[in-house]
Coordinates of all heavy atoms in Angstrom, one line a residue:
M1 N -6.3 -57.2 25.1 CA -6.2 -56.9 23.7 C -4.8 -57.0 23.2 O -3.8 -56.5 23.9 CB -6.8 -55.4 23.6 CG -6.4 -54.7 22.4 SD -7.0 -53.0 22.3 CE -8.5 -52.9 23.3
A2 N -4.6 -57.6 22.1 CA -3.2 -57.8 21.5 C -3.0 -56.8 20.4 O -3.9 -56.7 19.5 CB -3.1 -59.2 21.0
F3 N -1.9 -56.1 20.4 CA -1.7 -55.1 19.4 C -0.8 -55.7 18.3 O 0.0 -56.7 18.5 CB -0.9 -53.9 20.0 CG -1.6 -53.3 21.1 CD1 -1.0 -53.2 22.4 CD2 -2.9 -52.8 21.0 CE1 -1.7 -52.6 23.4 CE2 -3.6 -52.2 22.0 CZ -3.0 -52.1 23.3
K4 N -1.0 -55.2 17.1 CA -0.1 -55.7 16.0 C 1.3 -55.5 16.3 O 2.2 -56.3 16.0 CB -0.5 -54.9 14.7 CG 0.1 -55.4 13.4 CD -0.5 -56.6 12.9 CE 0.0 -57.0 11.5 NZ -0.3 -58.4 11.2
D5 N 1.7 -54.3 16.8 CA 3.0 -54.0 17.3 C 3.0 -53.6 18.7 O 2.5 -52.4 19.0 CB 3.7 -53.0 16.4 CG 5.1 -52.7 16.7 OD1 5.5 -53.0 17.9 OD2 5.9 -52.2 15.8
E6 N 3.4 -54.4 19.6 CA 3.2 -54.1 21.1 C 4.0 -52.8 21.4 O 3.6 -52.1 22.4 CB 3.7 -55.3 21.9 CG 2.8 -56.5 21.8 CD 1.4 -56.3 22.4 OE1 1.2 -55.5 23.2 OE2 0.5 -57.1 22.0
S7 N 5.0 -52.5 20.7 CA 5.8 -51.3 21.0 C 5.2 -50.0 20.5 O 5.5 -48.9 20.9 CB 7.2 -51.4 20.5 OG 7.2 -51.4 19.1
K8 N 4.2 -50.2 19.6 CA 3.5 -49.0 19.0 C 2.1 -49.4 18.8 O 1.6 -49.7 17.7 CB 4.2 -48.7 17.6 CG 5.6 -48.2 17.6 CD 6.1 -47.9 16.3 CE 6.3 -49.2 15.4 NZ 6.9 -48.9 14.1
P9 N 1.3 -49.4 19.9 CA -0.1 -49.8 19.8 C -0.9 -49.1 18.8 O -1.8 -49.7 18.2 CB -0.6 -49.5 21.2 CG 0.6 -49.6 22.1 CD 1.7 -49.0 21.3
S10 N -0.7 -47.8 18.5 CA -1.5 -47.1 17.5 C -0.7 -46.9 16.2 O -1.1 -46.1 15.4 CB -1.8 -45.7 18.1 OG -2.7 -45.9 19.2
G11 N 0.3 -47.7 16.0 CA 1.1 -47.7 14.8 C 2.1 -46.5 14.7 O 2.3 -45.8 15.7
P12 N 2.7 -46.3 13.6 CA 2.4 -47.0 12.3 C 2.8 -48.4 12.3 O 3.9 -48.8 12.8 CB 3.1 -46.2 11.3 CG 4.3 -45.5 12.0 CD 3.7 -45.3 13.4
V13 N 2.0 -49.3 11.7 CA 2.3 -50.7 11.5 C 1.9 -51.0 10.0 O 1.0 -50.5 9.5 CB 1.6 -51.6 12.4 CG1 2.1 -51.4 13.8 CG2 0.1 -51.5 12.3
T14 N 2.7 -51.9 9.4 CA 2.5 -52.3 8.0 C 1.8 -53.7 8.1 O 2.2 -54.6 8.7 CB 3.8 -52.4 7.2 OG1 4.4 -51.1 7.2 CG2 3.5 -52.8 5.8
L15 N 0.7 -53.8 7.3 CA -0.1 -55.0 7.3 C 0.3 -55.9 6.2 O 1.1 -55.5 5.3 CB -1.6 -54.6 7.1 CG -2.2 -53.6 8.1 CD1 -3.6 -53.4 7.9 CD2 -1.9 -54.0 9.6
A16 N -0.2 -57.1 6.1 CA 0.1 -58.1 5.1 C -0.2 -57.6 3.7 O 0.4 -58.0 2.7 CB -0.6 -59.4 5.4
N17 N -1.3 -56.7 3.6 CA -1.7 -56.2 2.3 C -0.8 -55.1 1.8 O -1.0 -54.5 0.8 CB -3.1 -55.8 2.3 CG -3.4 -54.7 3.3 OD1 -2.5 -54.0 3.7 ND2 -4.7 -54.5 3.6
G18 N 0.2 -54.7 2.6 CA 1.2 -53.7 2.2 C 0.8 -52.3 2.7 O 1.6 -51.4 2.6
A19 N -0.4 -52.1 3.3 CA -0.8 -50.8 3.8 C -0.2 -50.6 5.1 O 0.0 -51.5 6.0 CB -2.3 -50.8 3.9
T20 N 0.2 -49.3 5.3 CA 0.8 -48.9 6.6 C -0.3 -48.0 7.3 O -0.8 -47.0 6.7 CB 2.1 -48.1 6.4 OG1 3.0 -49.0 5.9 CG2 2.6 -47.6 7.8
V21 N -0.7 -48.5 8.5 CA -1.8 -47.8 9.2 C -1.3 -47.2 10.5 O -0.5 -47.8 11.2 CB -2.9 -48.9 9.5 CG1 -4.1 -48.2 10.2 CG2 -3.4 -49.6 8.2
A22 N -1.9 -46.0 10.8 CA -1.5 -45.4 12.0 C -2.7 -44.6 12.5 O -3.6 -44.1 11.7 CB -0.3 -44.4 11.8
V23 N -2.8 -44.4 13.8 CA -3.8 -43.5 14.4 C -3.0 -42.4 15.2 O -2.1 -42.7 15.9 CB -4.7 -44.3 15.4 CG1 -5.6 -43.3 16.2 CG2 -5.5 -45.4 14.7
D24 N -3.4 -41.2 14.9 CA -2.9 -40.1 15.7 C -3.6 -40.0 17.0 O -4.8 -39.6 17.1 CB -3.0 -38.8 14.9 CG -2.4 -37.6 15.6 OD1 -2.3 -37.5 16.8 OD2 -1.9 -36.7 14.9
R25 N -2.9 -40.4 18.1 CA -3.6 -40.5 19.4 C -4.0 -39.1 19.9 O -4.9 -39.0 20.8 CB -2.7 -41.2 20.4 CG -2.4 -42.7 20.0 CD -1.4 -43.3 21.0 NE -2.0 -43.4 22.4 CZ -2.7 -44.4 22.8 NH1 -3.0 -45.4 22.0 NH2 -3.1 -44.4 24.1
D26 N -3.3 -38.1 19.5 CA -3.7 -36.7 20.0 C -5.0 -36.3 19.3 O -5.7 -35.5 19.9 CB -2.5 -35.7 19.6 CG -1.3 -36.0 20.4 OD1 -1.4 -36.5 21.5 OD2 -0.2 -35.7 19.9
L27 N -5.3 -36.8 18.2 CA -6.5 -36.4 17.5 C -7.7 -37.3 17.9 O -8.8 -36.8 17.9 CB -6.3 -36.4 16.0 CG -5.4 -35.4 15.3 CD1 -5.3 -35.6 13.8 CD2 -5.9 -34.0 15.6
C28 N -7.4 -38.6 18.1 CA -8.5 -39.5 18.3 C -9.3 -39.1 19.6 O -8.8 -38.8 20.6 CB -7.9 -40.9 18.6 SG -9.1 -42.2 19.0
I29 N -10.7 -39.1 19.3 CA -11.6 -38.8 20.4 C -12.3 -40.0 21.0 O -13.2 -39.9 21.8 CB -12.6 -37.7 20.0 CG1 -13.4 -38.2 18.8 CG2 -11.9 -36.4 19.7 CD1 -14.6 -37.3 18.3
G30 N -11.9 -41.2 20.5 CA -12.5 -42.4 21.1 C -13.9 -42.7 20.7 O -14.6 -43.3 21.5
C31 N -14.3 -42.2 19.6 CA -15.8 -42.4 19.2 C -16.1 -43.8 18.9 O -17.3 -44.2 19.0 CB -16.1 -41.5 18.0 SG -15.4 -42.1 16.5
G32 N -15.2 -44.6 18.6 CA -15.4 -46.0 18.3 C -15.9 -46.3 16.9 O -16.1 -47.5 16.5
G33 N -15.9 -45.3 16.0 CA -16.4 -45.5 14.6 C -15.5 -46.5 13.9 O -16.0 -47.4 13.2
C34 N -14.2 -46.3 14.0 CA -13.3 -47.2 13.2 C -13.4 -48.7 13.8 O -13.3 -49.6 13.0 CB -11.9 -46.7 13.3 SG -11.2 -46.6 15.0
T35 N -13.7 -48.8 15.0 CA -13.8 -50.2 15.6 C -15.0 -50.9 15.1 O -15.1 -52.1 15.1 CB -13.8 -50.2 17.1 OG1 -15.0 -49.6 17.6 CG2 -12.6 -49.3 17.7
A36 N -16.1 -50.1 14.7 CA -17.3 -50.7 14.2 C -17.1 -51.1 12.7 O -17.6 -52.1 12.3 CB -18.4 -49.8 14.4
I37 N -16.4 -50.2 12.0 CA -16.3 -50.5 10.5 C -15.2 -51.5 10.2 O -15.4 -52.3 9.3 CB -15.9 -49.1 9.8 CG1 -17.1 -48.1 10.0 CG2 -15.6 -49.3 8.4 CD1 -16.7 -46.7 9.6
A38 N -14.1 -51.5 10.9 CA -13.0 -52.5 10.7 C -12.6 -53.0 12.0 O -11.6 -52.7 12.6 CB -11.8 -51.8 10.0
S39 N -13.5 -53.9 12.5 CA -13.4 -54.4 13.9 C -12.2 -55.3 14.2 O -11.7 -55.5 15.3 CB -14.6 -55.1 14.3 OG -14.9 -56.2 13.5
N40 N -11.6 -55.9 13.1 CA -10.4 -56.7 13.3 C -9.2 -55.9 13.4 O -8.1 -56.3 13.8 CB -10.3 -57.7 12.1 CG -11.4 -58.8 12.1 OD1 -11.6 -59.5 13.1 ND2 -12.1 -58.8 11.0
T41 N -9.3 -54.6 12.9 CA -8.1 -53.8 12.8 C -8.0 -52.8 14.0 O -6.9 -52.6 14.5 CB -8.1 -53.0 11.5 OG1 -8.2 -53.9 10.4 CG2 -6.9 -52.0 11.4
F42 N -9.1 -52.2 14.3 CA -9.1 -51.2 15.3 C -9.8 -51.6 16.6 O -10.8 -52.2 16.6 CB -9.8 -49.9 14.8 CG -9.1 -49.3 13.6 CD1 -9.7 -49.5 12.3 CD2 -7.9 -48.6 13.7 CE1 -9.1 -49.1 11.2 CE2 -7.3 -48.1 12.5 CZ -7.9 -48.3 11.3
G43 N -9.2 -51.2 17.8 CA -9.8 -51.4 19.1 C -9.4 -50.3 20.0 O -8.3 -49.7 19.9
L44 N -10.3 -49.9 20.9 CA -10.0 -48.8 21.8 C -9.2 -49.4 23.0 O -9.5 -50.4 23.6 CB -11.3 -48.2 22.3 CG -12.1 -47.5 21.3 CD1 -13.3 -46.8 22.0 CD2 -11.3 -46.5 20.5
D45 N -8.2 -48.7 23.4 CA -7.4 -49.1 24.6 C -8.0 -48.5 25.9 O -9.0 -47.9 25.9 CB -5.9 -48.8 24.4 CG -5.6 -47.3 24.4 OD1 -6.5 -46.5 24.7 OD2 -4.5 -46.9 24.1
G46 N -7.3 -48.7 27.0 CA -7.8 -48.2 28.3 C -7.8 -46.7 28.4 O -8.5 -46.2 29.3
E47 N -7.2 -46.0 27.5 CA -7.2 -44.6 27.5 C -8.3 -44.1 26.5 O -8.4 -42.8 26.3 CB -5.8 -44.0 27.1 CG -4.7 -44.4 28.1 CD -3.4 -43.9 27.6 OE1 -3.3 -43.2 26.6 OE2 -2.4 -44.2 28.3
G48 N -9.0 -45.0 25.9 CA -10.0 -44.6 24.9 C -9.5 -44.1 23.6 O -10.1 -43.4 22.9
K49 N -8.3 -44.6 23.3 CA -7.6 -44.3 22.0 C -7.6 -45.5 21.1 O -7.5 -46.6 21.6 CB -6.2 -43.8 22.3 CG -6.1 -42.6 23.2 CD -6.7 -41.3 22.5 CE -6.5 -40.1 23.4 NZ -7.1 -38.9 22.8
S50 N -7.8 -45.2 19.8 CA -7.8 -46.4 18.9 C -6.4 -46.9 18.7 O -5.4 -46.2 18.6 CB -8.4 -45.9 17.6 OG -8.5 -47.0 16.7
T51 N -6.4 -48.3 18.6 CA -5.1 -49.0 18.4 C -5.3 -49.9 17.2 O -6.4 -50.2 16.8 CB -4.7 -49.8 19.6 OG1 -5.8 -50.7 19.9 CG2 -4.6 -48.9 20.9
I52 N -4.1 -50.4 16.7 CA -4.1 -51.4 15.6 C -3.9 -52.8 16.3 O -2.9 -53.1 16.9 CB -2.9 -51.1 14.7 CG1 -2.8 -49.6 14.4 CG2 -3.1 -52.0 13.4 CD1 -3.9 -49.0 13.7
L53 N -4.9 -53.7 16.0 CA -4.9 -55.0 16.7 C -4.1 -56.0 15.9 O -3.9 -55.9 14.7 CB -6.4 -55.4 16.8 CG -7.3 -54.5 17.5 CD1 -8.8 -55.1 17.5 CD2 -6.9 -54.3 18.9
S54 N -3.8 -57.1 16.6 CA -3.0 -58.2 16.0 C -3.8 -58.9 14.9 O -3.2 -59.5 14.0 CB -2.6 -59.2 17.1 OG -3.7 -59.7 17.7
S55 N -5.1 -58.8 14.9 CA -5.9 -59.4 13.9 C -6.2 -58.6 12.7 O -7.0 -58.9 11.8 CB -7.3 -59.8 14.6 OG -7.9 -58.6 15.2
A56 N -5.4 -57.5 12.5 CA -5.7 -56.5 11.5 C -5.7 -57.1 10.1 O -6.4 -56.6 9.2 CB -4.7 -55.3 11.6
D57 N -4.9 -58.1 9.9 CA -4.8 -58.7 8.5 C -6.0 -59.4 8.1 O -6.2 -59.7 6.9 CB -3.6 -59.7 8.5 CG -2.2 -59.0 8.6 OD1 -2.1 -57.8 8.1 OD2 -1.3 -59.5 9.2
A58 N -7.0 -59.6 9.0 CA -8.3 -60.2 8.6 C -9.2 -59.2 8.0 O -10.2 -59.6 7.4 CB -8.9 -60.8 9.9
D59 N -9.0 -57.9 8.0 CA -9.8 -56.9 7.4 C -9.3 -56.6 6.0 O -8.1 -56.6 5.7 CB -9.9 -55.6 8.2 CG -10.8 -55.7 9.4 OD1 -11.8 -56.5 9.3 OD2 -10.6 -55.0 10.4
S60 N -10.2 -56.3 5.1 CA -9.8 -55.9 3.7 C -9.3 -54.5 3.8 O -9.6 -53.7 4.7 CB -11.0 -55.9 2.8 OG -12.0 -54.9 3.2
K61 N -8.5 -54.2 2.8 CA -8.0 -52.8 2.7 C -9.1 -51.8 2.5 O -9.1 -50.7 3.0 CB -7.0 -52.7 1.5 CG -6.2 -51.4 1.5 CD -5.0 -51.5 0.5 CE -4.2 -50.2 0.6 NZ -3.1 -50.2 -0.4
E62 N -10.2 -52.3 1.8 CA -11.3 -51.4 1.6 C -12.0 -51.1 3.0 O -12.4 -49.9 3.2 CB -12.3 -52.1 0.7 CG -11.9 -52.2 -0.8 CD -10.8 -53.2 -1.0 OE1 -10.7 -54.1 -0.2 OE2 -10.1 -53.1 -2.0
A63 N -12.1 -52.0 3.8 CA -12.7 -51.8 5.2 C -11.9 -50.8 6.0 O -12.4 -49.9 6.6 CB -12.9 -53.1 5.9
I64 N -10.6 -50.9 5.9 CA -9.7 -50.0 6.6 C -9.8 -48.6 6.0 O -9.8 -47.6 6.8 CB -8.3 -50.6 6.6 CG1 -8.2 -51.9 7.3 CG2 -7.3 -49.6 7.2 CD1 -6.9 -52.7 7.2
E65 N -9.9 -48.6 4.7 CA -10.0 -47.2 4.0 C -11.3 -46.6 4.5 O -11.4 -45.4 4.7 CB -10.0 -47.4 2.5 CG -8.6 -47.7 2.0 CD -7.7 -46.4 1.9 OE1 -8.2 -45.3 2.1 OE2 -6.5 -46.6 1.5
S66 N -12.4 -47.4 4.6 CA -13.7 -46.9 5.0 C -13.6 -46.3 6.4 O -14.2 -45.3 6.7 CB -14.8 -48.0 4.9 OG -15.0 -48.4 3.6
A67 N -12.9 -47.1 7.3 CA -12.7 -46.6 8.6 C -12.0 -45.3 8.7 O -12.3 -44.3 9.4 CB -12.0 -47.6 9.5
K68 N -11.0 -45.2 7.8 CA -10.2 -43.9 7.7 C -11.1 -42.8 7.3 O -11.1 -41.7 7.9 CB -9.1 -44.1 6.7 CG -8.4 -42.8 6.4 CD -7.5 -43.0 5.1 CE -7.0 -41.6 4.6 NZ -6.3 -41.7 3.4
N69 N -11.9 -43.1 6.2 CA -12.7 -42.0 5.7 C -13.9 -41.6 6.7 O -14.4 -40.5 6.6 CB -13.3 -42.4 4.4 CG -12.2 -42.6 3.3 OD1 -11.2 -41.9 3.4 ND2 -12.5 -43.4 2.3
G70 N -14.2 -42.6 7.5 CA -15.3 -42.3 8.5 C -14.9 -41.6 9.8 O -15.7 -41.2 10.6
C71 N -13.6 -41.5 10.0 CA -13.1 -40.9 11.2 C -13.5 -39.4 11.3 O -13.1 -38.7 10.4 CB -11.6 -41.1 11.4 SG -11.0 -40.3 12.9
P72 N -14.2 -39.0 12.3 CA -14.7 -37.6 12.3 C -13.6 -36.6 12.5 O -13.8 -35.4 12.2 CB -15.7 -37.6 13.5 CG -15.2 -38.7 14.4 CD -14.7 -39.8 13.4
V73 N -12.4 -37.0 13.0 CA -11.3 -36.1 13.2 C -10.1 -36.3 12.3 O -9.1 -35.7 12.6 CB -11.0 -36.0 14.7 CG1 -12.1 -35.5 15.5 CG2 -10.5 -37.4 15.2
G74 N -10.2 -37.2 11.4 CA -9.1 -37.5 10.5 C -7.9 -38.0 11.2 O -6.7 -37.7 10.8
A75 N -8.1 -38.9 12.2 CA -7.0 -39.4 13.0 C -6.3 -40.6 12.3 O -5.2 -40.9 12.8 CB -7.4 -39.7 14.4
I76 N -6.9 -41.2 11.4 CA -6.4 -42.4 10.8 C -5.6 -42.1 9.5 O -6.2 -41.4 8.6 CB -7.5 -43.5 10.5 CG1 -8.2 -43.8 11.9 CG2 -6.9 -44.7 9.9 CD1 -9.4 -44.7 11.7
S77 N -4.4 -42.7 9.3 CA -3.7 -42.6 8.1 C -3.5 -44.0 7.5 O -3.2 -44.9 8.3 CB -2.4 -41.8 8.2 OG -1.6 -42.5 9.1
V78 N -3.7 -44.1 6.2 CA -3.4 -45.4 5.5 C -2.6 -45.1 4.3 O -3.0 -44.3 3.4 CB -4.7 -46.1 5.1 CG1 -4.4 -47.4 4.4 CG2 -5.7 -46.3 6.2
N79 N -1.4 -45.6 4.3 CA -0.5 -45.3 3.2 C 0.0 -46.6 2.5 O 0.0 -47.6 3.1 CB 0.7 -44.5 3.7 CG 0.3 -43.1 4.2 OD1 -0.3 -42.3 3.5 ND2 0.5 -42.9 5.5
Ligands
SF4_1 S1 -13.0 -43.2 14.3 FE1 -11.3 -41.7 14.6 S2 -11.8 -40.6 16.5 FE2 -13.2 -42.4 16.4 S3 -12.1 -44.0 17.6 FE3 -11.4 -44.3 15.5 S4 -9.5 -43.1 15.2 FE4 -10.6 -42.4 17.1

């Protein structure tokens, strides 16, 4: 799996649409919800934590916002 920023797999990283996305790894429970809603943006790593993928620019900002809103523990931030 290729991360958008290899030095910060879970962000924060700024996408081409100007949004800065991050996952709080301490909160993430690895449910996979975000990876289903915005599959180009989010992927689970070997620790079962959500990360920001190199393909993130292929998802719409709306899809990423939906993933954020669907996270059961509020681990995703989009600014
Ligand atoms: S939806 Fe939230 S808890 Fe589930 S994998 Fe994504 S960031 Fe983690």
